[in-house]
Amino acid sequence: MTNQPIDLFFRRLFIVTTLVMVLVLLYLMMPVIIPFVFAFVLAYLFNPLVKRLSKYIKRWIAILIVYSTITLGMVLLLWWLIPTLWNQLQAAWDYLPKVLNWYNEVVREWFTNNTRMRLPELESKGFSETLVDYMQTNYKFADASTMMSHIISSSMNFINNAGLIVLVPILTFYFLFNWDQRLHTWKMAIPAAYNKKFVQIARECDQALMAFIKGQLLVMVLLGVIYAVQLQLIGLELGLIIGMVAGIASFVPYLGFGIGFIAAIIACLFQFGLDWTYLSLITGAFLIGQAAEGYILQPLLLGDKIGLSPLWVIFSVLAGASLLGFVGMLIALPVSAVLNVLLRHLFAYYRSTDFYKGHKQLTLFEKK
């Protein structure tokens, strides 16, 4: 009995079918995979600190110390932040009558005098009734019981998601505990001929990523402080919230400046009216923050860690937003940092080839 070779068409069909099935399974298992991805990213970020502490104490104790320190820091931050944010949110809620008055006296009046449109007049009571009608129309809240049942079902979904959130620190612990062993296993799986080069590229990617993440976090914190302090000194009641949001959003280039500036101008109009002095002060505050970010914080804390020009930074952010939306904007620069390392090595390999040196031509260009 002779072995018949497998037809090439069926071999390709089998490979394509297998790939499609794997992709479908990954898509269906996405809710399970996401906590593992988050845990792996957190383990990657915490591993340098755990590795330093594990030189003096056992690794599992070092992990617990890192966990405890981060938890204590977050508790102290929230202890100071929550009351301050609560006061700021109350101030924001107090702006509602001012917003309605501004709408009635400025916007509505302008449309009445300059166009044929007749906008309805809004009052605080009518606004509340409109909000209730909207909730009943769009969320089918016929009475209090249906509203409570909806809240309970939403709470159950929140509990399920909270279960996954609780799972992330546990998974992070196990990733951290066996981090070096896993890296060694992956390293041994690489073919010996490519092991040295692959490890070199991975190490350079790791250095670029860690330098970028550390520097960017410091830039976000310091920029948020700069914005918040300036806005508070100006007297803007929502200055703390706007400054913090602008600092956090600065992870995406130019997003923090845009969001913070627009929010501060709107808050200024509601609080001080069309006062050019305050508008100029807020504009100056954001120009100072942008200058500090571009000429002081980023050169000192980030430097040339990514190795991308401003044009490529903008292109990376726009490309990430186009492909993956907001998540793409967040990961655009880290991914670009890794791609920059890979392309640099690829270009170096290209320059070492005989084709680049002129010793050999591609078949397409050879003379016959």
Side-chain angles (χ1 to χ4, degrees), residues 157-182:
N157 292 331
F158 174 78
I159 291 172
N160 293 332
N161 293 330
L164 294 178
I165 294 174
V166 172
L167 182 62
V168 169
I170 300 174
L171 296 174
T172 304
F173 179 88
Y174 285 110
F175 273 123
L176 283 171
F177 189 74
N178 295 318
W179 185 266
D180 293 334
Q181 291 87 333
R182 286 192 175 89

PDB file of all heavy atoms in Angstrom, residues 157-182:
ATOM      1  N   ASN A 157     -24.585  43.141  35.894  1.00  0.00           N
ATOM      2  CA  ASN A 157     -23.523  43.237  34.884  1.00  0.00           C
ATOM      3  C   ASN A 157     -22.270  43.857  35.474  1.00  0.00           C
ATOM      4  O   ASN A 157     -21.145  43.435  35.172  1.00  0.00           O
ATOM      5  CB  ASN A 157     -24.001  44.079  33.691  1.00  0.00           C
ATOM      6  CG  ASN A 157     -25.092  43.384  32.901  1.00  0.00           C
ATOM      7  OD1 ASN A 157     -25.146  42.155  32.868  1.00  0.00           O
ATOM      8  ND2 ASN A 157     -25.962  44.155  32.282  1.00  0.00           N
ATOM      9  N   PHE A 158     -22.474  44.868  36.334  1.00  0.00           N
ATOM     10  CA  PHE A 158     -21.319  45.491  36.980  1.00  0.00           C
ATOM     11  C   PHE A 158     -20.594  44.502  37.881  1.00  0.00           C
ATOM     12  O   PHE A 158     -19.360  44.477  37.941  1.00  0.00           O
ATOM     13  CB  PHE A 158     -21.774  46.707  37.791  1.00  0.00           C
ATOM     14  CG  PHE A 158     -20.669  47.335  38.600  1.00  0.00           C
ATOM     15  CD1 PHE A 158     -19.737  48.160  37.990  1.00  0.00           C
ATOM     16  CD2 PHE A 158     -20.563  47.091  39.958  1.00  0.00           C
ATOM     17  CE1 PHE A 158     -18.710  48.736  38.727  1.00  0.00           C
ATOM     18  CE2 PHE A 158     -19.545  47.669  40.704  1.00  0.00           C
ATOM     19  CZ  PHE A 158     -18.625  48.492  40.086  1.00  0.00           C
ATOM     20  N   ILE A 159     -21.367  43.669  38.594  1.00  0.00           N
ATOM     21  CA  ILE A 159     -20.752  42.671  39.476  1.00  0.00           C
ATOM     22  C   ILE A 159     -19.939  41.669  38.662  1.00  0.00           C
ATOM     23  O   ILE A 159     -18.836  41.259  39.054  1.00  0.00           O
ATOM     24  CB  ILE A 159     -21.834  41.966  40.311  1.00  0.00           C
ATOM     25  CG1 ILE A 159     -22.430  42.953  41.334  1.00  0.00           C
ATOM     26  CG2 ILE A 159     -21.273  40.746  41.036  1.00  0.00           C
ATOM     27  CD1 ILE A 159     -23.624  42.411  42.079  1.00  0.00           C
ATOM     28  N   ASN A 160     -20.496  41.255  37.510  1.00  0.00           N
ATOM     29  CA  ASN A 160     -19.748  40.331  36.652  1.00  0.00           C
ATOM     30  C   ASN A 160     -18.445  40.956  36.169  1.00  0.00           C
ATOM     31  O   ASN A 160     -17.386  40.307  36.173  1.00  0.00           O
ATOM     32  CB  ASN A 160     -20.604  39.924  35.458  1.00  0.00           C
ATOM     33  CG  ASN A 160     -21.798  39.079  35.873  1.00  0.00           C
ATOM     34  OD1 ASN A 160     -21.747  38.382  36.888  1.00  0.00           O
ATOM     35  ND2 ASN A 160     -22.870  39.133  35.114  1.00  0.00           N
ATOM     36  N   ASN A 161     -18.520  42.221  35.753  1.00  0.00           N
ATOM     37  CA  ASN A 161     -17.298  42.898  35.316  1.00  0.00           C
ATOM     38  C   ASN A 161     -16.341  43.104  36.481  1.00  0.00           C
ATOM     39  O   ASN A 161     -15.114  43.029  36.314  1.00  0.00           O
ATOM     40  CB  ASN A 161     -17.644  44.249  34.675  1.00  0.00           C
ATOM     41  CG  ASN A 161     -18.402  44.091  33.372  1.00  0.00           C
ATOM     42  OD1 ASN A 161     -18.220  43.111  32.660  1.00  0.00           O
ATOM     43  ND2 ASN A 161     -19.279  45.032  33.076  1.00  0.00           N
ATOM     44  N   ALA A 162     -16.916  43.396  37.664  1.00  0.00           N
ATOM     45  CA  ALA A 162     -16.060  43.563  38.840  1.00  0.00           C
ATOM     46  C   ALA A 162     -15.332  42.262  39.167  1.00  0.00           C
ATOM     47  O   ALA A 162     -14.193  42.283  39.648  1.00  0.00           O
ATOM     48  CB  ALA A 162     -16.890  44.022  40.038  1.00  0.00           C
ATOM     49  N   GLY A 163     -16.003  41.115  38.913  1.00  0.00           N
ATOM     50  CA  GLY A 163     -15.339  39.834  39.128  1.00  0.00           C
ATOM     51  C   GLY A 163     -14.107  39.692  38.254  1.00  0.00           C
ATOM     52  O   GLY A 163     -13.058  39.204  38.702  1.00  0.00           O
ATOM     53  N   LEU A 164     -14.218  40.152  36.993  1.00  0.00           N
ATOM     54  CA  LEU A 164     -13.056  40.118  36.109  1.00  0.00           C
ATOM     55  C   LEU A 164     -11.978  41.088  36.585  1.00  0.00           C
ATOM     56  O   LEU A 164     -10.783  40.808  36.481  1.00  0.00           O
ATOM     57  CB  LEU A 164     -13.484  40.463  34.677  1.00  0.00           C
ATOM     58  CG  LEU A 164     -14.401  39.455  33.984  1.00  0.00           C
ATOM     59  CD1 LEU A 164     -14.783  39.954  32.604  1.00  0.00           C
ATOM     60  CD2 LEU A 164     -13.739  38.085  33.894  1.00  0.00           C
ATOM     61  N   ILE A 165     -12.415  42.241  37.119  1.00  0.00           N
ATOM     62  CA  ILE A 165     -11.450  43.208  37.633  1.00  0.00           C
ATOM     63  C   ILE A 165     -10.688  42.636  38.820  1.00  0.00           C
ATOM     64  O   ILE A 165      -9.479  42.833  38.967  1.00  0.00           O
ATOM     65  CB  ILE A 165     -12.173  44.520  38.019  1.00  0.00           C
ATOM     66  CG1 ILE A 165     -12.731  45.187  36.762  1.00  0.00           C
ATOM     67  CG2 ILE A 165     -11.226  45.467  38.754  1.00  0.00           C
ATOM     68  CD1 ILE A 165     -13.579  46.399  37.046  1.00  0.00           C
ATOM     69  N   VAL A 166     -11.397  41.910  39.690  1.00  0.00           N
ATOM     70  CA  VAL A 166     -10.732  41.271  40.821  1.00  0.00           C
ATOM     71  C   VAL A 166      -9.778  40.180  40.340  1.00  0.00           C
ATOM     72  O   VAL A 166      -8.731  39.931  40.959  1.00  0.00           O
ATOM     73  CB  VAL A 166     -11.783  40.684  41.792  1.00  0.00           C
ATOM     74  CG1 VAL A 166     -11.121  39.846  42.875  1.00  0.00           C
ATOM     75  CG2 VAL A 166     -12.601  41.794  42.418  1.00  0.00           C
ATOM     76  N   LEU A 167     -10.116  39.537  39.216  1.00  0.00           N
ATOM     77  CA  LEU A 167      -9.273  38.473  38.684  1.00  0.00           C
ATOM     78  C   LEU A 167      -7.934  38.996  38.169  1.00  0.00           C
ATOM     79  O   LEU A 167      -6.927  38.279  38.224  1.00  0.00           O
ATOM     80  CB  LEU A 167     -10.027  37.752  37.559  1.00  0.00           C
ATOM     81  CG  LEU A 167      -9.349  36.556  36.892  1.00  0.00           C
ATOM     82  CD1 LEU A 167      -9.110  35.437  37.904  1.00  0.00           C
ATOM     83  CD2 LEU A 167     -10.189  36.055  35.722  1.00  0.00           C
ATOM     84  N   VAL A 168      -7.911  40.232  37.680  1.00  0.00           N
ATOM     85  CA  VAL A 168      -6.687  40.783  37.082  1.00  0.00           C
ATOM     86  C   VAL A 168      -5.525  40.814  38.064  1.00  0.00           C
ATOM     87  O   VAL A 168      -4.407  40.377  37.713  1.00  0.00           O
ATOM     88  CB  VAL A 168      -6.968  42.176  36.483  1.00  0.00           C
ATOM     89  CG1 VAL A 168      -5.667  42.882  36.101  1.00  0.00           C
ATOM     90  CG2 VAL A 168      -7.858  42.049  35.258  1.00  0.00           C
ATOM     91  N   PRO A 169      -5.685  41.325  39.305  1.00  0.00           N
ATOM     92  CA  PRO A 169      -4.527  41.296  40.233  1.00  0.00           C
ATOM     93  C   PRO A 169      -4.031  39.885  40.528  1.00  0.00           C
ATOM     94  O   PRO A 169      -2.819  39.680  40.698  1.00  0.00           O
ATOM     95  CB  PRO A 169      -5.076  41.965  41.502  1.00  0.00           C
ATOM     96  CG  PRO A 169      -6.228  42.778  41.038  1.00  0.00           C
ATOM     97  CD  PRO A 169      -6.827  42.039  39.906  1.00  0.00           C
ATOM     98  N   ILE A 170      -4.945  38.910  40.586  1.00  0.00           N
ATOM     99  CA  ILE A 170      -4.524  37.523  40.839  1.00  0.00           C
ATOM    100  C   ILE A 170      -3.698  36.998  39.674  1.00  0.00           C
ATOM    101  O   ILE A 170      -2.632  36.392  39.862  1.00  0.00           O
ATOM    102  CB  ILE A 170      -5.762  36.634  41.085  1.00  0.00           C
ATOM    103  CG1 ILE A 170      -6.541  37.139  42.303  1.00  0.00           C
ATOM    104  CG2 ILE A 170      -5.350  35.182  41.283  1.00  0.00           C
ATOM    105  CD1 ILE A 170      -7.845  36.419  42.536  1.00  0.00           C
ATOM    106  N   LEU A 171      -4.176  37.237  38.460  1.00  0.00           N
ATOM    107  CA  LEU A 171      -3.417  36.813  37.285  1.00  0.00           C
ATOM    108  C   LEU A 171      -2.074  37.534  37.202  1.00  0.00           C
ATOM    109  O   LEU A 171      -1.059  36.934  36.837  1.00  0.00           O
ATOM    110  CB  LEU A 171      -4.234  37.084  36.018  1.00  0.00           C
ATOM    111  CG  LEU A 171      -5.547  36.312  35.869  1.00  0.00           C
ATOM    112  CD1 LEU A 171      -6.305  36.791  34.640  1.00  0.00           C
ATOM    113  CD2 LEU A 171      -5.289  34.821  35.789  1.00  0.00           C
ATOM    114  N   THR A 172      -2.083  38.827  37.554  1.00  0.00           N
ATOM    115  CA  THR A 172      -0.832  39.592  37.548  1.00  0.00           C
ATOM    116  C   THR A 172       0.184  38.985  38.509  1.00  0.00           C
ATOM    117  O   THR A 172       1.381  38.900  38.213  1.00  0.00           O
ATOM    118  CB  THR A 172      -1.107  41.053  37.930  1.00  0.00           C
ATOM    119  OG1 THR A 172      -2.091  41.606  37.042  1.00  0.00           O
ATOM    120  CG2 THR A 172       0.166  41.885  37.839  1.00  0.00           C
ATOM    121  N   PHE A 173      -0.290  38.534  39.685  1.00  0.00           N
ATOM    122  CA  PHE A 173       0.599  37.913  40.666  1.00  0.00           C
ATOM    123  C   PHE A 173       1.277  36.674  40.080  1.00  0.00           C
ATOM    124  O   PHE A 173       2.495  36.497  40.209  1.00  0.00           O
ATOM    125  CB  PHE A 173      -0.193  37.539  41.919  1.00  0.00           C
ATOM    126  CG  PHE A 173       0.627  36.873  42.977  1.00  0.00           C
ATOM    127  CD1 PHE A 173       1.294  37.625  43.923  1.00  0.00           C
ATOM    128  CD2 PHE A 173       0.751  35.485  43.018  1.00  0.00           C
ATOM    129  CE1 PHE A 173       2.068  37.009  44.905  1.00  0.00           C
ATOM    130  CE2 PHE A 173       1.514  34.866  43.978  1.00  0.00           C
ATOM    131  CZ  PHE A 173       2.183  35.636  44.930  1.00  0.00           C
ATOM    132  N   TYR A 174       0.507  35.821  39.414  1.00  0.00           N
ATOM    133  CA  TYR A 174       1.085  34.594  38.851  1.00  0.00           C
ATOM    134  C   TYR A 174       2.016  34.899  37.682  1.00  0.00           C
ATOM    135  O   TYR A 174       3.042  34.223  37.497  1.00  0.00           O
ATOM    136  CB  TYR A 174      -0.028  33.644  38.420  1.00  0.00           C
ATOM    137  CG  TYR A 174      -0.692  32.957  39.585  1.00  0.00           C
ATOM    138  CD1 TYR A 174      -1.984  33.270  39.954  1.00  0.00           C
ATOM    139  CD2 TYR A 174      -0.013  31.994  40.327  1.00  0.00           C
ATOM    140  CE1 TYR A 174      -2.592  32.649  41.036  1.00  0.00           C
ATOM    141  CE2 TYR A 174      -0.611  31.360  41.406  1.00  0.00           C
ATOM    142  CZ  TYR A 174      -1.903  31.692  41.757  1.00  0.00           C
ATOM    143  OH  TYR A 174      -2.490  31.082  42.833  1.00  0.00           O
ATOM    144  N   PHE A 175       1.672  35.919  36.875  1.00  0.00           N
ATOM    145  CA  PHE A 175       2.589  36.326  35.811  1.00  0.00           C
ATOM    146  C   PHE A 175       3.909  36.808  36.396  1.00  0.00           C
ATOM    147  O   PHE A 175       4.997  36.460  35.905  1.00  0.00           O
ATOM    148  CB  PHE A 175       1.962  37.432  34.961  1.00  0.00           C
ATOM    149  CG  PHE A 175       1.107  36.937  33.834  1.00  0.00           C
ATOM    150  CD1 PHE A 175      -0.214  37.313  33.718  1.00  0.00           C
ATOM    151  CD2 PHE A 175       1.631  36.083  32.876  1.00  0.00           C
ATOM    152  CE1 PHE A 175      -1.008  36.867  32.677  1.00  0.00           C
ATOM    153  CE2 PHE A 175       0.855  35.622  31.824  1.00  0.00           C
ATOM    154  CZ  PHE A 175      -0.471  36.018  31.733  1.00  0.00           C
ATOM    155  N   LEU A 176       3.830  37.620  37.456  1.00  0.00           N
ATOM    156  CA  LEU A 176       5.043  38.148  38.080  1.00  0.00           C
ATOM    157  C   LEU A 176       5.866  37.056  38.759  1.00  0.00           C
ATOM    158  O   LEU A 176       7.096  37.080  38.722  1.00  0.00           O
ATOM    159  CB  LEU A 176       4.669  39.225  39.104  1.00  0.00           C
ATOM    160  CG  LEU A 176       4.292  40.598  38.557  1.00  0.00           C
ATOM    161  CD1 LEU A 176       3.731  41.473  39.659  1.00  0.00           C
ATOM    162  CD2 LEU A 176       5.501  41.266  37.919  1.00  0.00           C
ATOM    163  N   PHE A 177       5.180  36.111  39.386  1.00  0.00           N
ATOM    164  CA  PHE A 177       5.873  35.102  40.184  1.00  0.00           C
ATOM    165  C   PHE A 177       6.788  34.237  39.314  1.00  0.00           C
ATOM    166  O   PHE A 177       7.899  33.886  39.716  1.00  0.00           O
ATOM    167  CB  PHE A 177       4.855  34.228  40.921  1.00  0.00           C
ATOM    168  CG  PHE A 177       5.473  33.306  41.919  1.00  0.00           C
ATOM    169  CD1 PHE A 177       5.951  33.789  43.123  1.00  0.00           C
ATOM    170  CD2 PHE A 177       5.585  31.951  41.653  1.00  0.00           C
ATOM    171  CE1 PHE A 177       6.532  32.941  44.052  1.00  0.00           C
ATOM    172  CE2 PHE A 177       6.170  31.096  42.567  1.00  0.00           C
ATOM    173  CZ  PHE A 177       6.641  31.589  43.779  1.00  0.00           C
ATOM    174  N   ASN A 178       6.335  33.909  38.104  1.00  0.00           N
ATOM    175  CA  ASN A 178       7.121  33.046  37.216  1.00  0.00           C
ATOM    176  C   ASN A 178       7.604  33.792  35.977  1.00  0.00           C
ATOM    177  O   ASN A 178       7.767  33.196  34.909  1.00  0.00           O
ATOM    178  CB  ASN A 178       6.292  31.821  36.793  1.00  0.00           C
ATOM    179  CG  ASN A 178       5.956  30.917  37.960  1.00  0.00           C
ATOM    180  OD1 ASN A 178       6.808  30.663  38.806  1.00  0.00           O
ATOM    181  ND2 ASN A 178       4.725  30.455  38.018  1.00  0.00           N
ATOM    182  N   TRP A 179       7.828  35.091  36.113  1.00  0.00           N
ATOM    183  CA  TRP A 179       8.171  35.907  34.944  1.00  0.00           C
ATOM    184  C   TRP A 179       9.481  35.457  34.300  1.00  0.00           C
ATOM    185  O   TRP A 179       9.552  35.251  33.084  1.00  0.00           O
ATOM    186  CB  TRP A 179       8.260  37.370  35.356  1.00  0.00           C
ATOM    187  CG  TRP A 179       8.478  38.309  34.221  1.00  0.00           C
ATOM    188  CD1 TRP A 179       9.662  38.793  33.761  1.00  0.00           C
ATOM    189  CD2 TRP A 179       7.465  38.881  33.387  1.00  0.00           C
ATOM    190  NE1 TRP A 179       9.467  39.650  32.699  1.00  0.00           N
ATOM    191  CE2 TRP A 179       8.124  39.717  32.442  1.00  0.00           C
ATOM    192  CE3 TRP A 179       6.078  38.785  33.325  1.00  0.00           C
ATOM    193  CZ2 TRP A 179       7.432  40.438  31.477  1.00  0.00           C
ATOM    194  CZ3 TRP A 179       5.391  39.507  32.363  1.00  0.00           C
ATOM    195  CH2 TRP A 179       6.060  40.315  31.455  1.00  0.00           C
ATOM    196  N   ASP A 180      10.532  35.319  35.103  1.00  0.00           N
ATOM    197  CA  ASP A 180      11.842  34.950  34.555  1.00  0.00           C
ATOM    198  C   ASP A 180      11.828  33.559  33.939  1.00  0.00           C
ATOM    199  O   ASP A 180      12.458  33.331  32.892  1.00  0.00           O
ATOM    200  CB  ASP A 180      12.907  35.030  35.648  1.00  0.00           C
ATOM    201  CG  ASP A 180      13.150  36.460  36.113  1.00  0.00           C
ATOM    202  OD1 ASP A 180      12.895  37.381  35.312  1.00  0.00           O
ATOM    203  OD2 ASP A 180      13.563  36.654  37.270  1.00  0.00           O
ATOM    204  N   GLN A 181      11.116  32.624  34.574  1.00  0.00           N
ATOM    205  CA  GLN A 181      11.044  31.265  34.019  1.00  0.00           C
ATOM    206  C   GLN A 181      10.339  31.263  32.662  1.00  0.00           C
ATOM    207  O   GLN A 181      10.754  30.557  31.739  1.00  0.00           O
ATOM    208  CB  GLN A 181      10.314  30.326  34.985  1.00  0.00           C
ATOM    209  CG  GLN A 181      11.076  30.032  36.272  1.00  0.00           C
ATOM    210  CD  GLN A 181      10.818  31.061  37.351  1.00  0.00           C
ATOM    211  OE1 GLN A 181      10.495  32.217  37.063  1.00  0.00           O
ATOM    212  NE2 GLN A 181      10.957  30.647  38.602  1.00  0.00           N
ATOM    213  N   ARG A 182       9.272  32.055  32.551  1.00  0.00           N
ATOM    214  CA  ARG A 182       8.566  32.114  31.265  1.00  0.00           C
ATOM    215  C   ARG A 182       9.446  32.737  30.186  1.00  0.00           C
ATOM    216  O   ARG A 182       9.469  32.257  29.038  1.00  0.00           O
ATOM    217  CB  ARG A 182       7.271  32.917  31.419  1.00  0.00           C
ATOM    218  CG  ARG A 182       6.183  32.183  32.167  1.00  0.00           C
ATOM    219  CD  ARG A 182       4.844  32.893  32.035  1.00  0.00           C
ATOM    220  NE  ARG A 182       3.795  32.107  32.655  1.00  0.00           N
ATOM    221  CZ  ARG A 182       3.452  32.199  33.933  1.00  0.00           C
ATOM    222  NH1 ARG A 182       4.097  33.044  34.727  1.00  0.00           N
ATOM    223  NH2 ARG A 182       2.486  31.452  34.435  1.00  0.00           N
TER     224      ARG A 182
END
